[in-house]
DNA sequence: CTGAAGTTTCAGTAATTTCTGAAAGTTAAG
DNA sequence: CTTAACTTTCAGAAATTACTGAAACTTCAG
């Protein structure tokens, strides 16, 4: 059966955003379909709803699984795999960020670290060396901060974010506690 | 003249990462070239160093300008445009994040807001409505937090991030100040 | 073991994105 | 105004990425 036009809108939008979020159109659409359906969907439901090939569904599912955004559910007495969102929206968001950091930040961090340690680094201009160090330090700072934040309980993180512009004022207070 | 092999490495890497960071390979390479060169480069320098067409340089420059990552410098008595990084590494980083938020978060926020206000929203399942609200609220929280953080002075933001895992402890103290 | 019900793989094709280079546009000196 | 120096645009070509569908594979009931 076809999607309701309201759901259709969402699915199309997630498809368009897909490539900006690090996957492709179809993967984005499959994700939307799964997230907005409470009951798990099987591969044929998905192929059917999105009018795509069975093979493409398999690829997209594999991709979403590699991002840990979906998980498989099996009914007894039924050989089909059924797919469903792997957690709350908050958890899915965390998962996307973690995966993107891994793909977008980590490789550069590691290249820059190697570059700085390499003896041939001195062949670069002073300016280039300085820029490398600054990018490296920025990414490292981000990485540590990100790891800390990932390990916080969602409600604490949420509360912290809600402080909003208060965060500036708190900084001064915090200073007293962070000094060794 | 060709690039030193060390600089070459960096340029190639920024090219590979380019598409993950929201632009394309060439744009990434041009950015690297400009960031690691202290002296401004003209379009021909770039075409030459990267072995790409003049037209492609023009497109890439335009793209980087739209991200506000580079700016133009003109020598008197010379009609050429020379390009240069538009600020410190920290500023470039902020700029990239701001632009990506605009492209990756804002459109979805706005779609979801409209969806929730639309009278036809009730045609969706309870579950879908709940998920929409959760995504919307998460993005809104993120947006407010992001705006606050963007407005902080770099050194304050840096200090805050450095607190690292201390951020959890501070939360309790902060609680006392955020209550009305 | 057999075969039905399902999933995955992958070679070829389709769609999309990026790049080139020539033509059109712009700017300013003379 | 004319021309040289430079930049931008854009149609078509090239490169890349995504999709299909048929074949191979897996799993399990009988």
């Amino acid at each position: 059966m076809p999607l309701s036009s309201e759901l259709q809108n969402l699915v199309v939008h997630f498809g368009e955003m897909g490539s900006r979020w690090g996957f492709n159109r179809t993967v984005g659409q499959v994700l939307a379909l799964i997230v907005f359906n409470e009951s798990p969907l099987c591969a044929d439901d998905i192929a059917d709803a999105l009018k795509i090939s069975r093979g493409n569904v398999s690829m997209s599912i594999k991709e979403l699984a590699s991002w840990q955004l979906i998980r498989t559910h099996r009914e007894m007495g039924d050989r089909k795999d059924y797919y469903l969102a792997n957690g709350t929206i908050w958890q899915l968001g965390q998962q996307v960020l973690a995966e993107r950091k891994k793909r977008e930040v980590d490789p550069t961090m590691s290249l820059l670290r190697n570059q700085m340690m390499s003896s041939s680094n001195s062949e670069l201009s002073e300016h280039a060396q300085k820029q490398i160090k600054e990018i490296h330090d920025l990414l490292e700072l981000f990485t540590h901060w990100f790891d800390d934040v990932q390990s916080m309980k969602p409600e604490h993180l949420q509360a912290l974010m809600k402080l909003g512009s208060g965060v500036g004022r708190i900084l001064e207070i915090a200073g007293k506690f962070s000094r060794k």
Side-chain angles (χ1 to χ4, degrees), chain A residues 15-85:
Chain A
E16 281 168 1
M17 299 305 284
S19 46
R20 304 188 193 186
W21 296 341
F23 21 82
N24 67 33
R25 182 154 37 89
T26 303
V27 172
Q29 293 186 348
V30 173
L31 178 61
L33 210 54
I34 291 175
V35 165
F36 294 119
N37 266 281
E38 184 153 28
S39 47
L41 298 170
C42 72
D44 288 314
D45 294 337
I46 296 169
D48 203 25
L50 301 180
K51 315 261 190 47
I52 59 176
S53 73
R54 198 57 194 63
N56 196 5
V57 172
S58 177
M59 298 292 219
S60 300
I61 288 295
K62 197 175 163 189
E63 178 75 2
L64 287 170
S66 88
W67 284 70
Q68 311 222 82
L69 296 174
I70 61 176
R71 64 194 160 80
T72 300
H73 171 86
R74 300 200 71 150
E75 297 278 339
M76 40 185 187
D78 184 349
R79 288 193 197 163
K80 281 202 185 91
D81 284 336
Y82 292 84
Y83 303 100
L84 81 100

Side-chain angles (χ1 to χ4, degrees), chain A residues 3-27:
Chain A
L3 276 60
S4 81
S5 74
E6 293 300 311
L7 190 49
Q8 177 87 297
N9 272 351
L10 290 166
V11 167
V12 168
H13 177 84
F14 272 59
E16 281 168 1
M17 299 305 284
S19 46
R20 304 188 193 186
W21 296 341
F23 21 82
N24 67 33
R25 182 154 37 89
T26 303
V27 172

Side-chain angles (χ1 to χ4, degrees), chain A residues 29-146:
Chain A
Q29 293 186 348
V30 173
L31 178 61
L33 210 54
I34 291 175
V35 165
F36 294 119
N37 266 281
E38 184 153 28
S39 47
L41 298 170
C42 72
D44 288 314
D45 294 337
I46 296 169
D48 203 25
L50 301 180
K51 315 261 190 47
I52 59 176
S53 73
R54 198 57 194 63
N56 196 5
V57 172
S58 177
M59 298 292 219
S60 300
I61 288 295
K62 197 175 163 189
E63 178 75 2
L64 287 170
S66 88
W67 284 70
Q68 311 222 82
L69 296 174
I70 61 176
R71 64 194 160 80
T72 300
H73 171 86
R74 300 200 71 150
E75 297 278 339
M76 40 185 187
D78 184 349
R79 288 193 197 163
K80 281 202 185 91
D81 284 336
Y82 292 84
Y83 303 100
L84 81 100
N86 189 24
T88 62
I89 294 297
W90 184 277
Q91 290 168 324
L92 298 184
Q94 281 200 158
Q95 202 50 54
V96 170
L97 290 186
E99 192 64 32
R100 288 181 65 167
K101 174 186 161 288
K102 204 185 297 172
R103 297 173 190 217
E104 300 173 11
V105 175
D106 293 357
T108 299
M109 263 281 277
S110 127
L111 180 87
L112 297 181
R113 187 166 347 94
N114 288 342
Q115 175 60 42
M116 290 189 307
M117 288 184 339
S118 153
S119 58
S120 59
N121 192 43
S122 56
E123 286 168 27
L124 291 167
S125 71
E126 287 294 323
H127 180 254
Q129 291 185 39
K130 185 172 145 268
Q131 295 290 66
I132 287 167
K133 179 157 182 7
E134 295 214 347
I135 300 172
H136 173 270
D137 291 353
L138 176 58
L139 297 183
E140 191 172 56
L141 179 61
F142 171 79
T143 293
H144 286 146
W145 170 82
F146 185 82

